[in-house]
Amino acid sequence: MKSIYKVYSDCCAICFSLDIPIADDIHVEVNTRAKKRWGLCTKNGDGSYTIQISDRLLQDDVTEEATFDTMLHELLHTCPNCMNHKAEWKHWANIINSNYPKYNIKATTSCEEKGIESSDKTAKYVVTCNECNRNWYYMRN
């Protein structure tokens, strides 16, 4: 299993090398309960940030790129005016993508893109976006 602290440290180094203004006070946690998201960044009341990464991404059979994509994605949310996926966030994502072509930072990714088998294959309902053809799987009504 990958160390979340090593992933975090390596991703911070990438951001620093590109002068991306990530926050100074960031806490990282492994989320063992998340099934429908890879990561989450929250801004705390004291101005610090907490980044949670799904334990599924830290498994040895998951590529470094898949893990780093998510950590970098969440780190970008700590930049000023980037707690969304709008222009400022996309600007920083494009800088990483153009300087590190092995990474593909974007707003959403699927299990297939990460190379991870989906646990949602037996869903009761499947909703498909008419614009991008992305699927969402639901177990309940």
Side-chain angles (χ1 to χ4, degrees):
M1 182 175 235
K2 298 174 189 74
S3 164
I4 192 171
Y5 302 109
K6 172 91 168 94
V7 171
Y8 169 72
S9 175
D10 291 349
C11 289
C12 283
I14 289 168
C15 292
F16 295 146
S17 75
L18 298 172
D19 293 323
I20 295 174
I22 60 172
D24 292 331
D25 193 0
I26 303 170
H27 310 280
V28 291
E29 301 173 351
V30 177
N31 187 326
T32 59
R33 296 178 50 209
K35 300 297 180 219
K36 296 191 181 260
R37 67 172 169 239
W38 302 117
L40 175 69
C41 179
T42 53
K43 186 171 185 178
N44 303 314
D46 63 359
S48 68
Y49 292 84
T50 300
I51 292 176
Q52 296 180 2
I53 299 295
S54 171
D55 64 336
R56 294 175 15 180
L57 287 176
L58 299 173
Q59 302 303 313
D60 290 330
D61 61 341
V62 175
T63 65
E64 174 187 290
E65 289 81 7
T67 307
F68 277 40
D69 280 352
T70 299
M71 181 63 80
L72 289 164
H73 171 117
E74 300 306 336
L75 280 170
L76 293 182
H77 283 306
T78 72
C79 295
N81 303 312
C82 289
M83 284 302 288
N84 53 46
H85 297 121
K86 293 187 179 177
E88 191 75 18
W89 184 92
K90 287 177 185 175
H91 167 75
W92 298 119
N94 289 334
I95 288 176
I96 293 173
N97 291 337
S98 62
N99 285 279
Y100 290 86
K102 69 180 182 176
Y103 301 124
N104 185 21
I105 315 304
K106 56 187 189 171
T108 62
T109 57
S110 66
C111 290
E112 293 79 21
E113 290 172 297
K114 295 280 189 194
I116 298 174
E117 186 174 327
S118 174
S119 60
D120 294 330
K121 298 285 187 201
T122 59
K124 187 173 182 179
Y125 302 100
V126 179
V127 176
T128 304
C129 176
N130 291 332
E131 291 182 25
C132 69
N133 290 326
R134 180 173 175 223
N135 292 327
W136 285 268
Y137 300 91
Y138 295 95
M139 305 299 279
R140 295 183 243 152
N141 296 343

